Amino acid sequence: MENQVLTPHVYWAQRHRELYLRVELSDVQNPAISITENVLHFKAQGHGAKGDNVYEFHLEFLDLVKPEDWLCRGLLSIGISSSSWEGELEVYKLTQRQVNITVQKKVSQWWERLTKQEKRPLFLAPDFDRWLDESDAEMELRAKEEERLNKLRLESQGSPETLTSLKKGYLFMYNFVQFLGFSWIFVNMTVRFFILGKESFYDTFHTSADMMYFCQMLSAVETINAAIGVTKSPLMPCFIQLCGRNFILFIIFGTMEEMQNKAVVFFVFYSWSAVEIFRYPFYMLSCLDMDWKVLTWLRYTLWIPLYPLGCLAEAVSVIQSIPVFNETGRFSFTLPYPVKIKVRFSFFLQIYLIMLFLGLYINFRHLYKQRRRRYGQKKKKVH
């Protein structure tokens, strides 16, 4: 007497591109699953409705499927542990409660039914947990496609975490380079002062100007960062400081050799570098989400005496340069006919002196607000 062929309960659902089969068979052993262009054959030892036996079934699909692209997955409804076997064409992951099989359709379209025969096999039933009608499936397909495109877009742009890490790395390196530059200037000037005394005042430009040129040109990056939103620094104070310092360095000192040998250069450079050797390390630690209280206090306090002193030194350098520019006539010009009035560059320097102290007020007010936010007194409770 021939043994009766036992079939497991099989539940199915579809999407435009895929078929989903859920085989209700636990403790599967010795699986043999194969697919041709339109036939699925399943045979395995397992525990089903008729106990522990060999179960098998085959389905002739309504249309063609992809035999080389299908994937058989075993899902455990009560856990995630699984065993695996390697077949000739695929890797099976089988678990204790069921076997889920995903079959790729050869042509993306909606099928009226699963099998070629109109009468549904008795062991086959719809999987209502995954069932969708055609319109719902189309919406799901569009959602998946949109999700895929968004994922590709994010991958091309980089994840937010990656962008944040890159930004912090970039800002750390910028602040580190500036710290090294201004530290070199500060240490060089300090050592020369202790060795040469007041004599070091008069050759400061020739010993430190190259590094100061580099640091001040690089400081344009800070203004750009504020303008494009890389940092939260307000744009106007950054721009005022950039223009003011570079005007003194490149126009007042850089173009006039008579100014390069004056003692005021020492005080301008020293006040600038004394502020920056504490400001840039503070920003470096901020990039690492670190806070050193001593450094933080110095960053928010030292500017109180140093900014006015630096501004005063800059004003002295401008005042000292006025007779030099008048004598040499550099940057002066004559208005065209019929006015023919000679406009001396010293006229613009006098205007700049007014703007210098206006800029000091704007920056001083900005730094004061920063310090107040950091160390402002807490409001006392009213009893």
Side-chain angles (χ1 to χ4, degrees):
M1 182 177 178
E2 293 183 359
N3 292 332
Q4 183 181 1
V5 176
L6 300 178
T7 55
H9 293 296
V10 179
Y11 300 89
W12 79 284
Q14 69 167 317
R15 300 294 184 268
H16 285 81
R17 299 174 180 173
E18 298 165 327
L19 300 169
Y20 302 116
L21 301 174
R22 175 163 56 88
V23 183
E24 291 292 314
L25 198 60
S26 60
D27 299 324
V28 175
Q29 299 177 11
N30 303 321
I33 307 175
S34 63
I35 285 189
T36 60
E37 288 190 341
N38 66 335
V39 176
L40 165 68
H41 183 77
F42 176 95
K43 184 176 182 180
Q45 175 81 29
H47 191 86
K50 298 294 184 179
D52 194 7
N53 281 295
V54 174
Y55 293 82
E56 65 178 300
F57 69 90
H58 78 276
L59 292 171
E60 186 176 3
F61 296 121
L62 178 65
D63 209 334
L64 299 179
V65 296
K66 297 180 180 180
E68 70 281 5
D69 289 337
W70 74 288
L71 176 64
C72 172
R73 296 176 181 166
L75 300 176
L76 180 61
S77 61
I78 59 172
I80 59 173
S81 61
S82 65
S83 302
S84 64
W85 294 265
E86 290 190 4
E88 293 181 358
L89 297 176
E90 64 285 316
V91 176
Y92 299 94
K93 289 185 178 179
L94 308 177
T95 59
Q96 298 173 1
R97 295 290 297 273
Q98 62 191 29
V99 179
N100 279 16
I101 303 173
T102 302
V103 181
Q104 302 291 330
K105 296 178 180 178
K106 198 160 190 178
V107 178
S108 179
Q109 61 181 3
W110 194 257
W111 292 2
E112 346 179 298
R113 58 182 183 275
L114 178 64
T115 59
K116 195 168 187 178
Q117 62 186 55
E118 294 186 8
K119 185 177 180 181
R120 175 176 58 83
L122 295 177
F123 64 87
L124 186 65
D127 186 352
F128 292 107
D129 292 337
R130 305 194 68 170
W131 193 266
L132 292 177
D133 58 28
E134 186 174 2
S135 59
D136 291 337
E138 287 177 353
M139 292 177 62
E140 183 186 66
L141 185 63
R142 285 195 295 268
K144 284 184 177 181
E145 184 65 20
E146 185 176 350
E147 182 181 357
R148 185 184 69 84
L149 293 175
N150 288 336
K151 186 177 180 181
L152 290 174
R153 192 179 300 113
L154 288 174
E155 287 177 353
S156 63
Q157 295 174 350
S159 65
E161 294 80 7
T162 302
L163 292 176
T164 301
S165 299
L166 288 174
K167 185 176 80 169
K168 285 186 176 181
Y170 153 71
L171 292 175
F172 179 88
M173 288 306 301
Y174 166 77
N175 291 307
F176 179 64
V177 171
Q178 287 286 60
F179 168 67
L180 292 180
F182 280 106
S183 295
W184 185 91
I185 296 170
F186 184 84
V187 172
N188 178 271
M189 293 174 64
T190 302
V191 171
R192 289 179 57 80
F193 173 74
F194 280 110
I195 295 174
L196 302 175
K198 294 181 181 180
E199 295 296 325
S200 66
F201 292 174
Y202 303 101
D203 62 351
T204 298
F205 186 87
H206 301 289
T207 58
S208 304
D210 288 341
M211 184 60 70
M212 187 61 78
Y213 278 137
F214 171 78
C215 291
Q216 284 305 130
M217 286 189 292
L218 188 60
S219 66
V221 173
E222 287 184 54
T223 304
I224 296 172
N225 289 341
I228 64 178
V230 175
T231 61
K232 296 181 180 179
S233 302
L235 177 60
M236 188 54 65
C238 294
F239 182 73
I240 290 174
Q241 178 169 292
L242 174 69
C243 293
R245 286 188 177 183
N246 284 340
F247 180 81
I248 297 296
L249 178 62
F250 289 94
I251 303 299
I252 303 299
F253 295 154
T255 62
M256 304 299 292
E257 292 185 9
E258 295 87 345
M259 292 298 301
Q260 295 172 6
N261 297 321
K262 293 185 179 293
V264 70
V265 178
F266 177 90
F267 295 101
V268 171
F269 283 13
Y270 208 74
S271 62
W272 290 355
S273 57
V275 170
E276 306 301 14
I277 60 174
F278 296 105
R279 187 168 71 97
Y280 285 115
F282 169 79
Y283 289 146
M284 288 164 57
L285 293 183
S286 297
C287 293
L288 302 176
D289 297 322
M290 297 174 62
D291 182 19
W292 185 22
K293 292 184 178 180
V294 175
L295 181 61
T296 302
W297 185 85
L298 289 171
R299 184 265 179 275
Y300 285 106
T301 305
L302 276 181
W303 63 268
I304 297 175
L306 291 178
Y307 260 67
L309 289 175
C311 183
L312 181 61
E314 292 176 28
V316 170
S317 68
V318 173
I319 293 171
Q320 290 182 351
S321 71
I322 289 177
V324 179
F325 279 104
N326 283 337
E327 183 180 347
T328 61
R330 180 164 293 183
F331 302 131
S332 298
F333 58 93
T334 302
L335 294 176
Y337 180 85
V339 180
K340 289 189 177 181
I341 296 175
K342 187 174 183 180
V343 180
R344 296 183 180 273
F345 186 65
S346 58
F347 171 74
F348 297 101
L349 292 179
Q350 293 169 19
I351 296 176
Y352 177 78
L353 281 174
I354 300 173
M355 296 175 60
L356 178 64
F357 289 98
L358 178 62
L360 172 66
Y361 168 75
I362 294 174
N363 277 1
F364 206 92
R365 185 167 175 266
H366 164 65
L367 291 170
Y368 175 74
K369 286 183 177 180
Q370 282 190 327
R371 193 178 195 282
R372 190 175 181 180
R373 281 197 298 267
R374 189 84 182 194
Y375 295 110
Q377 293 182 353
K378 297 180 180 178
K379 293 182 180 180
K380 295 181 180 179
K381 293 182 179 180
V382 179
H383 296 285

